[in-house]
Amino acid sequence: MTVRSRSAAALAGLAATALALTACGTGEQAGPGAGEKIKVVASTTVWASVVQAVGGDAVEVEPVISDPNADPHSYESTPQDAAKVTDADLVVFNGGGYDEFMERILGNSGQGKPTVEAVKDEHEGETAGGHEEHGEPAGGHEEHGGHEGHDHSVNEHVWYDLHVVEQVAAQVNAELSKLKPAKAEQFGQAAGRFAEEIGKLQGRVGELGDQNRGKQVIVTEPVAHYLVEAANLQDITPPEFVNAIEAETDPSAAAVAAIQNAVNAKQAAVVIYNPQTESPVTRNVRTAAEQNQIPVVEMTETLPQDKTYAQWMDAQITALQTALNQNR
């Protein structure tokens, strides 16, 4: 996993960031033939599912990471991955330093390729328009402790922000329609249906927030930050603890004591647990929560097998609601 520590102030300021969806490429690459499916490569199953929802039977989507137990932060790409990206008609990835392996592949062999990247832009209201040659994400690369390209000012788990996901689907619709204009109406209708699904999920989150406003939660890693924020929940996890887990280092004794004290005092209504960044320290937090009868809700970084994005997110919202209801 790359170093992704953030200050509490940076986390608090995320709500003010605006969405920028970058469609990269010069448009010079030849698209698929009339009878061919559009070849799409996505970094993870999350974005592959979004593409499939829009593209339907007109696309052939392949995620680079399909193992539901894999951690995309630490994934090392292979020559086979690079070949898939080179052959693809469209590439969809997360950005923000989350799936850096895709940025490296695109920088080396993906010049001029249509690309959709979901990012949070630090400049509110700024959107990236048109096509640009991919080599660096908008805003360029910065060095952070040896991890090139990672942006510490935003939480990169943007697929937990339903508005971002809806906008990514809209951009995928636009790119697919350019690649296969004869299917544009089909893509548009599918994107509309997907937007309706996302709208229903947003409604559920809104209701959850109305019923549980201000309830406190602890997270072992801020994968679901945007969902927690949208549900009006209060994350009371000590920042030192989160920063250390994100950096794959041991939290200080003071940070461990702080989170254990919060759990033992039953300050949190729920503990949100990311099994894909599990460590002995986070397992201890989970065990303490269970011993104190605090519900634990697992929220992951990639889709389980045989679920669409909407089904997966719906199930996670349901699990969170059920857990919160236990502490009414």
Side-chain angles (χ1 to χ4, degrees), residues 211-252:
Q211 296 166 5
N212 299 279
R213 185 180 300 273
K215 279 193 175 181
Q216 297 179 331
V217 300
I218 286 172
V219 304
T220 60
E221 196 260 2
V223 63
H225 168 78
Y226 294 110
L227 179 59
V228 168
E229 184 179 69
N232 296 318
L233 302 173
Q234 183 184 356
D235 181 359
I236 62 169
T237 314
E240 279 188 73
F241 183 90
V242 173
N243 292 342
I245 295 301
E246 292 231 286
E248 285 194 315
T249 60
D250 291 329
S252 67

Side-chain angles (χ1 to χ4, degrees), residues 17-92:
T17 58
L19 170 68
L21 288 168
T22 307
C24 306
T26 62
E28 296 173 358
Q29 179 173 312
E36 296 177 334
K37 292 188 177 185
I38 301 172
K39 292 182 180 179
V40 185
V41 170
S43 59
T44 69
T45 51
V46 171
W47 299 119
S49 180
V50 174
V51 173
Q52 193 69 64
V54 176
D57 59 6
V59 299
E60 180 183 310
V61 190
E62 185 169 6
V64 173
I65 299 177
S66 57
D67 182 353
N69 298 313
D71 182 1
H73 302 98
S74 57
Y75 182 78
E76 294 293 334
S77 62
T78 67
Q80 289 79 12
D81 297 332
K84 291 173 187 176
V85 170
T86 300
D87 292 341
D89 300 307
L90 175 66
V91 176
V92 181

Side-chain angles (χ1 to χ4, degrees), residues 11-316:
L11 283 172
L14 283 169
T17 58
L19 170 68
L21 288 168
T22 307
C24 306
T26 62
E28 296 173 358
Q29 179 173 312
E36 296 177 334
K37 292 188 177 185
I38 301 172
K39 292 182 180 179
V40 185
V41 170
S43 59
T44 69
T45 51
V46 171
W47 299 119
S49 180
V50 174
V51 173
Q52 193 69 64
V54 176
D57 59 6
V59 299
E60 180 183 310
V61 190
E62 185 169 6
V64 173
I65 299 177
S66 57
D67 182 353
N69 298 313
D71 182 1
H73 302 98
S74 57
Y75 182 78
E76 294 293 334
S77 62
T78 67
Q80 289 79 12
D81 297 332
K84 291 173 187 176
V85 170
T86 300
D87 292 341
D89 300 307
L90 175 66
V91 176
V92 181
F93 69 110
N94 195 83
Y98 178 73
D99 39 16
E100 286 183 300
F101 64 91
M102 291 293 281
E103 297 179 36
R104 287 193 292 269
I105 293 173
L106 287 165
N108 292 330
S109 60
Q111 301 288 346
K113 185 173 297 294
T115 304
V116 173
E117 176 183 4
V119 296
K120 285 282 189 176
D121 198 308
E122 293 179 76
H123 306 288
E124 185 173 2
E126 178 181 309
T127 56
H131 291 274
E132 57 185 85
E133 189 169 297
H134 195 100
E136 291 184 319
H141 282 289
E142 296 179 7
E143 295 283 351
H144 294 285
H147 295 268
E148 184 181 348
H150 184 76
D151 185 354
H152 288 256
S153 66
V154 297
N155 184 306
E156 68 272 27
H157 307 103
V158 293
W159 62 94
Y160 276 94
D161 185 326
L162 295 171
H163 176 66
V164 170
V165 173
E166 183 178 356
Q167 294 298 316
V168 169
Q171 192 63 48
V172 168
N173 170 32
E175 293 301 313
L176 293 179
S177 296
K178 292 174 188 175
L179 289 165
K180 196 174 278 288
K183 296 280 189 178
E185 183 177 356
Q186 173 184 320
F187 298 143
Q189 291 174 348
R193 290 191 295 271
F194 183 75
E196 289 178 1
E197 288 186 291
I198 298 301
K200 291 177 182 177
L201 294 177
Q202 289 172 322
R204 291 198 61 205
V205 174
E207 291 175 2
L208 188 154
D210 290 342
Q211 296 166 5
N212 299 279
R213 185 180 300 273
K215 279 193 175 181
Q216 297 179 331
V217 300
I218 286 172
V219 304
T220 60
E221 196 260 2
V223 63
H225 168 78
Y226 294 110
L227 179 59
V228 168
E229 184 179 69
N232 296 318
L233 302 173
Q234 183 184 356
D235 181 359
I236 62 169
T237 314
E240 279 188 73
F241 183 90
V242 173
N243 292 342
I245 295 301
E246 292 231 286
E248 285 194 315
T249 60
D250 291 329
S252 67
V256 172
I259 196 169
Q260 289 287 358
N261 288 340
V263 171
N264 291 333
K266 301 184 179 181
Q267 293 177 9
V270 172
V271 169
I272 296 175
Y273 191 81
N274 181 358
Q276 287 171 275
T277 58
E278 188 175 75
S279 70
V281 173
T282 64
R283 282 196 295 272
N284 287 341
V285 172
R286 177 172 191 157
T287 298
E290 292 169 344
Q291 290 173 345
N292 284 282
Q293 298 184 324
I294 298 174
V296 176
V297 177
E298 288 193 357
M299 293 199 175
T300 58
E301 308 201 30
T302 50
L303 268 66
Q305 293 180 349
D306 302 322
K307 279 191 182 291
T308 67
Y309 171 83
Q311 291 169 340
W312 172 59
M313 195 56 60
D314 182 67
Q316 293 192 117

